[in-house]
Amino acid sequence: MNTQHFLKKSCILVSILILSSCIGVHADIALRSNGSGTISLEYRISRMLESLGKLDGNERWLTIPVGKADFERTVGRIEGLQMVSFSSNDDGTDRYNQVKLNFSNPNALLRFLDATGQRASLVRENGTYRLSLTMIGGMEQADPDLMALFTTLSQGYTVDLSLSAPGEGTLALYNGNGKPLDNLPGAQVISRGKKVSFMAPLGDLFALQEGVVMELQW
């Protein structure tokens, strides 16, 4: 495999990462009774992984927002979304972004989580919202060398997501075939209550080749 082909495949694999295609995510979503709410987001991305995308000649089209201007463009495209604050720092190994957003309705939240409309869906039935997020897509045909690379790069990174609702919420996990994931390796889950949450090492998620889908209801 030549270098250019390898890097292209690496960039494709990067694009399937959770939420905004990054490594290491901490997201707190707080909902109000009128459907509005806030998102407090922190993510960290390996500078090594970021460099892979740049070496492929796609630095202008990185899928990962790497600065305040990137988030401002994202917010500008989504009606009902507002950026309240942004900060960023770099420790030489990882880049850290901390962002707080306001959304005026659940559809604005959905569009932020998945601008393509392919990895998330939101349904309202009988006054109850159901949000489904494809956290990790099925990767049965993934290149073994690339999966080994991601296993190495993902060490020490976690996915941490919580949702606070006005009433009781629920959180459930499924694989890409709709089968419940009751005992996800390394995961810590609070599945019911006014605040539900999920935390798992990124490497453990990528080990599940059939994918991981999170379903939130409130």
Side-chain angles (χ1 to χ4, degrees):
M1 181 185 299
N2 62 40
T3 301
Q4 184 177 10
H5 184 54
F6 177 81
L7 291 172
K8 282 184 179 294
K9 293 186 71 174
S10 298
C11 291
I12 292 171
L13 193 56
V14 170
S15 70
I16 64 175
L17 288 171
I18 168 123
L19 298 182
S20 55
S21 301
C22 52
I23 285 185
V25 178
H26 180 95
D28 289 316
I29 302 171
L31 291 152
R32 305 184 185 95
S33 58
N34 65 357
S36 66
T38 62
I39 310 168
S40 296
L41 173 68
E42 176 178 311
Y43 71 80
R44 53 189 285 232
I45 174 172
S46 166
R47 296 303 302 271
M48 181 187 301
L49 186 59
E50 183 183 9
S51 296
L52 286 177
K54 291 183 177 180
L55 285 172
D56 195 36
N58 292 325
E59 62 270 22
R60 291 183 58 200
W61 309 108
L62 286 175
T63 57
I64 303 162
V66 295
K68 185 176 181 180
D70 298 304
F71 277 95
E72 288 175 338
R73 283 190 289 269
T74 297
V75 168
R77 290 192 295 263
I78 300 175
E79 184 177 356
L81 190 66
Q82 177 188 20
M83 185 167 66
V84 178
S85 62
F86 175 89
S87 63
S88 182
N89 62 79
D90 189 327
D91 65 4
T93 301
D94 296 301
R95 182 190 297 276
Y96 295 79
N97 283 352
Q98 299 86 32
V99 188
K100 185 171 183 179
L101 304 167
N102 286 341
F103 56 91
S104 61
N105 56 75
N107 284 324
L109 169 64
L110 177 69
R111 289 197 59 199
F112 173 74
L113 295 175
D114 178 30
T116 68
Q118 298 177 349
R119 300 178 61 81
S121 65
L122 179 67
V123 177
R124 187 179 185 184
E125 295 177 340
N126 301 319
T128 299
Y129 285 100
R130 184 173 71 251
L131 174 65
S132 296
L133 293 172
T134 299
M135 302 176 65
I136 302 293
M139 295 179 289
E140 291 86 346
Q141 305 301 318
D143 186 290
D145 292 334
L146 290 180
M147 291 308 301
L149 170 65
F150 255 102
T151 299
T152 300
L153 291 177
S154 65
Q155 294 300 313
Y157 295 90
T158 62
V159 174
D160 187 348
L161 188 148
S162 67
L163 183 142
S164 301
E168 185 173 79
T170 62
L171 183 155
L173 299 169
Y174 303 89
N175 67 18
N177 298 318
K179 181 180 179 180
L181 293 173
D182 296 323
N183 296 299
L184 194 62
Q188 299 178 22
V189 180
I190 298 177
S191 61
R192 184 177 295 273
K194 286 194 173 183
K195 183 174 183 176
V196 295
S197 63
F198 168 85
M199 189 281 289
L202 189 65
D204 289 344
L205 293 181
F206 270 97
L208 301 173
Q209 295 189 355
E210 292 183 347
V212 180
V213 178
M214 177 185 292
E215 185 175 281
L216 299 158
Q217 292 193 50
W218 68 92

